[in-house]
Each structure stands twice: as C-alpha cells, then as structure tokens.
Amino acid sequence: MNRLMSSVMRGIGRKRRCDEPGRHSTGVDSSSSDDDLDLDPDFSPDSEELRSPVAKLARIKRAAAAAAAKKRRKTSTAKRVSKSKASDRRLTRKSAVAADPADNNAGCRSVSLDTLPTDVLLRIVEFAASQTGMLSLAASLSQVCQRLRHFITVESPRCYSTALWRNADFSRLNRKLSTAQLHSMALPRFPALSSINLENWKTLRDKDVEAICDKYGDTLSEVSLAGSDHLSGRTLTCLSDRCRRLSRLSLRRLPHRLAHGQLFTQLLQRHSDSLVDLSIDSLEGEIVGFGLLLSGLTAKPGALSRLHRLRLANLRSSSLRDSALDVSALAASAPNLRQLELANLPLAGGLPFVWPDCRLSQLRHLLVQELPSPFRLTVSSAALPSLSSLSIVATDFDLVDDLSSALQAEVDDTGEKSSIQGFKGLRRLAVSHCTNADEADTLAPLLLLMESGQLPLLDEADFTASSIFSLPGGGDRLAAALASLPSLNELNLTGTGVLLPAVRLIASSSGSLTKLNLTACKCLPRGFKQLLTSRQSIAAWVAKAETELD
C-alpha cells in the first residue's frame, strides 16, 4: 500500500513538472528510477483517475483487496496440501496395521459391494424397502453402481420375488404415473403381489381394480383404496369374489357409490375366515342400509374369529332405526378382537361392555369418540380384562356417568375395592373434551381407581379440555390421586381449569413424570402455561411455582 501511494505521488509530481514552461512533456524526473516506474505499469500521467481524490482512494482500495485475495489463495492452497499429507499419513498407518498378521484388528477392513454376500445385501435391501417401498427404492439403487443395478433388475425379481417384490406402495406415485403406466411399467415388476397401496389415486377406475384382482387374486391379502373418487360397488364385489386371501382392507374417503350396507355384508361373509383388519372411514354421502353393515359384524358366533382390528368412523345414515351395535353379539362373533375404534357414528342405544353378557378377553384398545347424544357406554373390568388403552373423546356426559356407575357397581357393599382387578393393565387413560357441567359422579370412579392403587402401570393420562378440575374440591383430590401414580410418565392438562397448587403437587410428587402439558390452562398465571418435556424443565417450573405461591 505504501509503495503504491509513493508511485502515485511521484507521478503527480512529474505531471506538474512537465507542465512548467521550458520543460518537455516527455521529460522525467532525475530522481526517479526505473524500479519506481515499474511499480505501476498501468500508470498514465494524463489519466482522468488522478484528477479526483475519490477515484484515487478507490484505486488504492481495489489494489489492497486484490493483494488480500492473493494472500488468502496462498493460505488455502497451503492448508489443502497439509490436509492431503495428513490423510496420506493416516492411510499409511492403517495399511501398516492391516498388514500386521499379529494385530487383532487386522480383519477390520472396508468391504466392497462387489464382494458382499448376496444374503447380506438382500437383508439390507429388505430393510430399506420396508421404509420407502420397493419400487421407489429400485429406481434409486439402480443408479448407485453396477452391482446394485444387477441385483435389482436381474437377481431379486428372479430369485427373491417372494422376499422383496411382494409389497407395492404406489401412494407416492399417484402424480408421477398414469393408470396406463401403472399396468404397463410398474405392476409387471411384481410377480407375486401380496400387498398393494393405492391411496389418493384419483384416476383409478373399477376396471383397474378388476385387472389387479385378476392378476394377483390368489396372492393379494392387503388392499388400501383410500381417496379414490371414481370407484363404485363393482370394486367391493370384485374384492369379495376374486381376492380369496384378503385379510386387511382399508376403505377411507371413498365416494357414496360404495356406501351400501349390503356390499359390506357380502364382503364380510365371503372373507370371514381370513379378515384380520377392517377399516371403514369417511365415506362420502350417507350409507344405505347401515344396519346391514352392523348386522354383518354380528352375524353368527365365531364368524369373524380372526378379526383383530375394527375401525368404523365418520359414517352417516339418514335413519337411526335398527342402527344399534349389539356388543354381546360382536363379542361372540369376533372373540379375538384386540382394537375397537368407534368414532362419529349414527349409533342408537349404547355399548354395554358388562360381564357376563359381553366379554372381550383380548381387547386392548378401546376408542369411543363423538357419539350422538344421548349415548350410553358402560365399561366393566371383568368384560375387558386385558384393556390397556381407554379413550373417551368429545362425548356426552351420559357416557362418562354410565362409566362411573359401572365402575362403582363393581365395589361391593362392604366397601372393599379388590373386585376392580381388570384395570391393573391400563396404561393409557384419556377423558378429553368432556365439558358437561354435571360431572360430580364422573370423578368418583376415577378417584377410586387411582387412590386404591388399581392403576400401577398407568403411563399416560389425558384430560384435555375436561371440566373435572373445575369442580369444587374435585381438582385437589384428582391432583393428589395423579401424584400417587407410580408409573405416570405423561400428563396432558391442556385447556383445563387446574389451579397452580394442584399442578405443583403433581409435578413435585410424581417421580416418574417427564412430560407435562399445561398450555391454554385458563386458571394458571401468565408464564406458567407451558409444555414441559423433561425432568429438568419440570423441576425448574416447580421452583418457579413455589416462588409465585410464597
């Protein structure tokens, strides 16, 4: 920078001396040397840049920036060379260790895909296919290397068709492939298809489903047709007649042309000995003959002995006549039912899960959500001895009152509580969005279960938007009962009227609590409505609450 300034100032001096009378314009100063003139090869005494101080300063800054960039390039090059030399030294040391036969780590060397055994490669591809689907995985792996391309295109379809090419998930390809490409390009890769997922295929027609059933009817066992707008009753008839091994069927967000109870009854009758999972959810329009669907589920004892999961949700019917679900008949028809979900259904009557009329010894998960008012639900531990998850969401309080009556009835006249033994396996309890004002009787059985030590395994409790904590004296008793639970890990009190002392009692007394949701709690002070996700955050919250209360 100093040399550049010196060169500029000497040039200005020469310009002035050349302009004096008696001096030639080509003259040079005797004090200037050739070395000084070579410092700026682009220098011109007549340059316009020398007439402006701003231009001179800009020129100086550009020269300084160029010098700094050149220095950075040299530093970067030196670092790269240093890293390369260090890497070479590490490789040399590893090679020396691997070459030593006396070293125990001599066998820890990298293995190429070309030398990897086919069985090991098969296991790797099977795991990846279970995450993304075999078709999309094949398109990606075939571009990695020649070994994987040969395995995907030649070895696996020919030798491992039953292991890899049996589950087809086309739900993510609905916008990339047409139905013609589905039949001509995608499906021929699957020689023995057992599961197919065609969710959100808006262009799927009845003839497409019939072609799939004709080709894979002997092996197809799982079908998902959610969100297909152009299907009709022909689809259900085709699935009933041609898919002989159908075990899992998911029908969600389908048009009203499928919504006929007689078609579902026919499907249940033909696949009663193989059906394991049935989900009917969000059918458009009203179901004609909804009672026929319910009667098909309770046709005869043992008819659905293999059924493990049943979900009926978001179905509509114009008439509630003969729309009652006979729980005792359902228990006799599907004795091995493990998961039952009933949500937003036009049901009449109630669901009396009461011993000895009803017993589902294998039922582990029960969800009852948004059933019409008035609706009666009765839950007995003797009828559901294996129940591990009970969820009552957005229901009328007749349901919860009947639940309390049923639980209270199991306590004998002497006041002993030993008869409530079946709920010892309960791990999740949800009584959310229950906002009936008359809830005093509802609190009694919950307190009875918690205070008597009959919920030793309860891990998660959800009271979202419930008015239980708003009852006079009820919040304190329930808080003490929750604090006494030995295994409580997650507690959701969102939108409740719980008070600060009650929450402090729960958070400070429960030694296993790791997640506490207090968002939108209207009775808590500002700054305490938080989502706490660790023991440390809960401890900090308790300390803050104690300071606030003091």
Side-chain angles (χ1 to χ4, degrees), residues 34 40 68 71 96 111 115 118 132 177 186 190 228 245 253 290 337 347 367 371-372 401 418 428 530 547 550:
D34 294 337
D40 190 1
K71 184 177 181 180
V111 179
T115 60
T118 305
T132 61
L177 297 179
F190 297 86
S228 300
R245 302 177 58 186
R253 305 191 312 274
F290 180 66
L337 195 63
L347 291 178
L367 169 65
L371 296 184
D401 290 341
S418 59
R428 184 181 187 276
Q530 302 175 3
T547 304
D550 294 339

Side-chain angles (χ1 to χ4, degrees), residues 118-367:
T118 305
D119 295 338
V120 177
L121 186 59
L122 174 64
R123 297 299 182 185
I124 296 174
V125 176
E126 278 183 347
F127 175 78
S130 64
Q131 306 295 323
T132 61
M134 189 58 199
L135 192 64
S136 57
L137 179 66
S140 302
L141 293 183
S142 60
Q143 301 177 5
V144 175
C145 63
Q146 185 177 359
R147 173 75 172 100
L148 286 177
R149 186 184 305 111
H150 186 269
F151 180 82
I152 291 297
T153 58
V154 179
E155 296 181 30
S156 62
R158 181 181 303 172
C159 306
Y160 304 102
S161 59
T162 58
L164 288 177
W165 300 91
R166 59 185 178 185
N167 301 321
D169 187 359
F170 299 109
S171 58
R172 301 179 182 179
L173 302 177
N174 55 337
R175 296 183 179 179
K176 299 180 181 180
L177 297 179
S178 62
T179 53
Q181 293 173 333
L182 175 68
H183 291 286
S184 61
M185 298 172 54
L187 287 176
R189 291 177 174 265
F190 297 86
L193 192 62
S194 62
S195 173
I196 186 169
N197 186 353
L198 293 171
E199 293 186 2
N200 301 320
W201 274 73
K202 304 296 183 182
T203 59
L204 198 67
R205 300 294 195 276
D206 292 328
K207 61 180 182 179
D208 300 318
V209 179
E210 291 174 351
I212 294 174
C213 292
D214 289 338
K215 184 175 182 179
Y216 304 106
D218 295 334
T219 59
L220 196 61
S221 60
E222 300 181 17
V223 179
S224 179
L225 299 174
S228 300
D229 298 335
H230 300 284
L231 300 181
S232 66
R234 288 173 53 189
T235 297
L236 282 181
T237 303
C238 177
L239 293 174
S240 301
D241 297 339
R242 305 180 190 181
C243 295
R244 303 175 182 85
R245 302 177 58 186
L246 188 64
S247 61
R248 299 180 184 273
L249 179 61
S250 177
L251 302 174
R252 296 183 292 112
R253 305 191 312 274
L254 294 177
H256 66 278
R257 292 182 294 272
L258 273 173
H260 198 291
Q262 183 63 37
L263 297 176
F264 292 111
T265 303
Q266 180 182 357
L267 179 68
L268 291 172
Q269 290 176 352
R270 297 197 176 184
H271 297 280
S272 59
D273 57 343
S274 62
L275 201 59
V276 175
D277 188 335
L278 177 61
S279 176
I280 304 175
D281 190 352
S282 303
L283 298 186
E284 296 181 2
E286 296 181 352
I287 292 184
V288 180
F290 180 66
L292 296 176
L293 170 60
L294 299 180
S295 62
L297 295 171
T298 59
K300 58 182 180 179
L304 301 173
S305 59
R306 298 193 60 186
L307 187 64
H308 290 170
R309 179 179 180 269
L310 175 62
R311 175 176 173 81
L312 301 177
N314 304 313
L315 305 179
R316 292 180 290 172
S317 178
S318 58
S319 176
L320 289 177
R321 182 170 46 183
D322 299 329
S323 296
L325 180 60
D326 191 347
V327 177
S328 59
L330 177 63
S333 177
N336 297 319
L337 195 63
R338 299 177 183 177
Q339 184 173 346
L340 178 61
E341 300 178 6
L342 304 174
N344 195 13
L345 297 177
L347 291 178
L351 296 175
F353 293 96
V354 180
W355 172 264
D357 297 332
C358 170
R359 181 174 176 83
L360 288 170
S361 59
Q362 301 296 326
L363 190 66
R364 295 178 174 84
H365 176 77
L366 176 61
L367 169 65

Side-chain angles (χ1 to χ4, degrees), residues 502-516:
V503 183
R504 184 188 65 171
L505 175 62
I506 298 173
S508 59
S509 302
S510 180
S512 59
L513 191 64
T514 59
K515 184 175 181 180
L516 179 60

